[in-house]
Amino acid sequence: MSLDLVVADKEKLADGVVRLTLRAPDGQPLPAWEPGAHIDLLLPGGTRQYSLCGRPGDPAAYQVAVLREPDGRGGSAYVHDELVAGQRIQADGPRNHFALVDAKRYLFVAGGIGITPILPMIDRVAETGREWQLVYGGRTRSSMAFTAELARHEDRVTIRPQDEHGLLDLPALLAEPRPDTAVYCCGPEPLLAAVEQHCAGWPEGALRVERFAPVADDGPRTAFEVELAGSGRVLAVPADRSILEVIEESGLTVLSSCQEGTCGTCETGVLGGTPDHRDSVLTAEERRTAEVMMICVSRSCSPRLVLDL
């Protein structure tokens, strides 16, 4: 869903982190969302995905926190240096590929700006009275956003700045699989990879991670065909083109945003064939069932894919 928003407030939360409060220009309620959801901000140079970190029950405003990334593509620099209160901004969403599942207990692991999707999850779980724990790491205490807000949860929250405590002790935290526990992790890629490694022995589906950076695409790139089920048309996808590009060039409009497999906008149903998933969105179970795929980056393991288009 395309949204016209206005920046109602911009405030510094930590070193290199600002929070934007976004509202509808006419004051109308914004679309509802659930913990784990994100919106896509249309910024100069491209679209960027940011987790919603406010209160899901508040239809008046969205809140996102933006980390300045010196080696980024310019989106965060624009937000920090040029975006001002009162300015209009375009967005898409909200979308949720990091939904909070029902579990007896929860373990949240956050690194840096990865705390943003975790905040509304904690609030939701705390309302239910279920058991939960957060371990939150960052480079320095001053760079870690929302620490004051998290203090109200007392001993359920462990804050570990790296310059004070070193890296998070994931071997101790995740050494023994715990039944009925859902593990949620968001943060930089090294943290996500380490948590995935240490959760290898946990029950399938216990771990859920969110990435806002594309995974390394080092798989083979071969040609294949896609059949569009709605019309029966068959299109050839060469090795150097994406499915999305070929479909759009054929004259069919498909919703898309990031074009790097991180936002989930181009999710498309698969009716036949075997997708070669190369996105950062789908869970292991979703990849295995192969009912949907992200056609902006994913390819095919079979000579032909039949898509629900």
Side-chain angles (χ1 to χ4, degrees):
M1 179 183 296
S2 180
L3 301 170
D4 182 23
L5 302 174
V6 62
V7 180
D9 189 36
K10 175 182 174 181
E11 59 181 315
K12 180 179 178 180
L13 291 182
D15 292 345
V17 180
V18 296
R19 173 167 55 190
L20 303 179
T21 299
L22 307 169
R23 301 182 185 273
D26 57 4
Q28 291 297 306
L30 296 172
W33 59 282
E34 289 295 313
H38 72 269
I39 57 173
D40 305 337
L41 295 185
L42 281 60
L43 303 172
T47 301
R48 305 292 183 269
Q49 294 80 48
Y50 297 106
S51 296
L52 292 169
C53 56
R55 293 185 294 113
D58 180 9
Y62 290 156
Q63 290 187 339
V64 298
V66 180
L67 170 69
R68 178 189 288 276
E69 300 187 49
D71 298 326
R73 294 169 293 171
S76 67
Y78 173 80
V79 170
H80 277 256
D81 299 336
E82 300 185 47
L83 195 63
V84 296
Q87 188 170 335
R88 300 281 278 266
I89 189 169
Q90 297 298 307
D92 283 327
R95 300 183 181 88
N96 198 340
H97 293 278
F98 196 44
L100 187 65
V101 299
D102 186 45
K104 184 176 181 180
R105 57 181 64 86
Y106 297 85
L107 171 60
F108 300 105
V109 182
I113 200 64
I115 189 62
T116 51
I118 302 297
L119 288 173
M121 292 185 179
I122 287 174
D123 288 341
R124 178 63 56 82
V125 172
E127 291 172 357
T128 68
R130 298 187 186 183
E131 182 182 339
W132 64 272
Q133 176 188 4
L134 166 67
V135 178
Y136 176 21
R139 296 188 315 277
T140 63
R141 191 174 296 273
S142 63
S143 71
M144 299 171 68
F146 301 107
T147 53
E149 180 177 333
L150 289 166
R152 73 180 191 274
H153 296 296
E154 299 179 339
D155 59 357
R156 290 183 181 270
V157 174
T158 302
I159 295 177
R160 288 287 183 268
Q162 185 176 342
D163 63 340
E164 298 176 21
H165 302 278
L167 296 175
L168 296 181
D169 190 0
L170 297 179
L173 185 65
L174 303 168
E176 184 175 347
R178 283 168 261 175
D180 303 323
T181 298
V183 181
Y184 278 80
C185 180
C186 187
E189 182 58 33
L191 174 65
L192 300 180
V195 169
E196 287 175 329
Q197 178 184 352
H198 289 293
C199 282
W202 284 59
E204 184 176 3
L207 172 64
R208 301 182 73 88
V209 303
E210 181 165 57
R211 288 179 165 89
F212 280 135
V215 296
D217 184 1
D218 53 4
R221 300 184 66 86
T222 57
F224 56 94
E225 296 179 333
V226 292
E227 179 181 336
L228 309 183
S231 63
R233 295 176 64 190
V234 176
L235 306 176
V237 181
D240 62 347
R241 306 291 282 170
S242 72
I243 299 174
L244 177 63
E245 289 172 326
V246 169
I247 290 176
E248 289 184 331
E249 288 169 0
S250 76
L252 184 64
T253 299
V254 179
L255 288 177
S256 65
S257 182
C258 72
Q259 299 191 18
E260 60 182 15
T262 59
C263 73
T265 307
C266 68
E267 180 178 305
T268 302
V270 179
L271 304 179
T274 305
D276 178 6
H277 296 290
R278 303 188 183 192
D279 63 275
S280 303
V281 177
L282 297 176
T283 65
E285 182 178 357
E286 289 169 333
R287 289 169 180 256
R288 186 172 57 255
T289 58
E291 295 177 351
V292 297
M293 67 183 298
M294 306 303 156
I295 60 174
C296 65
V297 292
S298 296
R299 303 191 65 79
S300 181
C301 296
S302 52
R304 177 180 294 187
L305 289 173
V306 183
L307 301 180
D308 189 14
L309 289 172

